[in-house]
Amino acid sequence: MSDTSCLFCRIVDGEIPATIVAETAFAIAFRDIAPKAPVHVLVIPRRHIGSLSEATDAAELGELAMLAADVARQEGIAESGYRVVTNVGEDGGQSVGHLHWHVLGGRALGWPPG
Ligand code: 5GP
Ligand code: ZN
């Protein structure tokens, strides 16, 4: 179900434009508007889930993870390496309240994150 006040639901619904790079029945992947690495794609479920903490369906989460790996292959960073991360809540640095996995790569990524 779509939440009209949610930015990423509006991207799913096509109300806000985004550069979609992959999609499945349950998920879409699109380029981050403010990329933090040469490749920065967001993988999200089509239906509204607030964050990983609100997820209830393991198969759905598995599909998101598989799509993240597909995106990495498609973007040419599977061999060089990449990071998949989801920020949760205030301390996690989550700024959009719709579950999303960041797929980051194309440069060496620092660890641990700040
Ligand atoms: P968070 O901070 O919640 O982990 O990640 C949210 C991400 O969404 C940020 O990396 C931010 O750049 C991205 N973002 C915010 N608004 C938009 C938008 O309108 N379009 C796209 N494509 N990305 C967005
Ligand atoms: Zn949403």
Side-chain angles (χ1 to χ4, degrees):
M1 86 204 61
S2 158
D3 175 345
T4 52
S5 67
C6 171
L7 177 64
F8 287 177
C9 282
R10 296 179 72 193
I11 286 177
V12 170
D13 291 343
E15 288 170 22
I16 293 176
T19 305
I20 294 174
V21 298
E23 41 190 330
T24 71
F26 301 106
I28 66 169
F30 55 94
R31 295 200 192 284
D32 196 291
I33 203 168
K36 315 300 186 294
V39 173
H40 189 175
V41 172
L42 302 173
V43 175
I44 74 169
R46 289 184 187 274
R47 74 182 183 100
H48 184 86
I49 301 172
S51 76
L52 182 61
S53 291
E54 291 170 34
T56 54
D57 186 331
E60 192 169 38
L61 287 180
E63 178 158 328
L64 293 174
M66 296 302 285
L67 183 56
D70 284 344
V71 165
R73 279 187 283 272
Q74 187 179 303
E75 295 289 318
I77 56 172
E79 297 298 321
S80 52
Y82 59 97
R83 183 168 298 155
V84 178
V85 65
T86 185
N87 298 324
V88 179
E90 194 177 341
D91 280 0
Q94 183 178 6
S95 62
V96 177
H98 181 128
L99 173 63
H100 50 284
W101 298 88
H102 298 258
V103 180
L104 296 148
R107 66 169 170 82
L109 301 163
W111 189 264

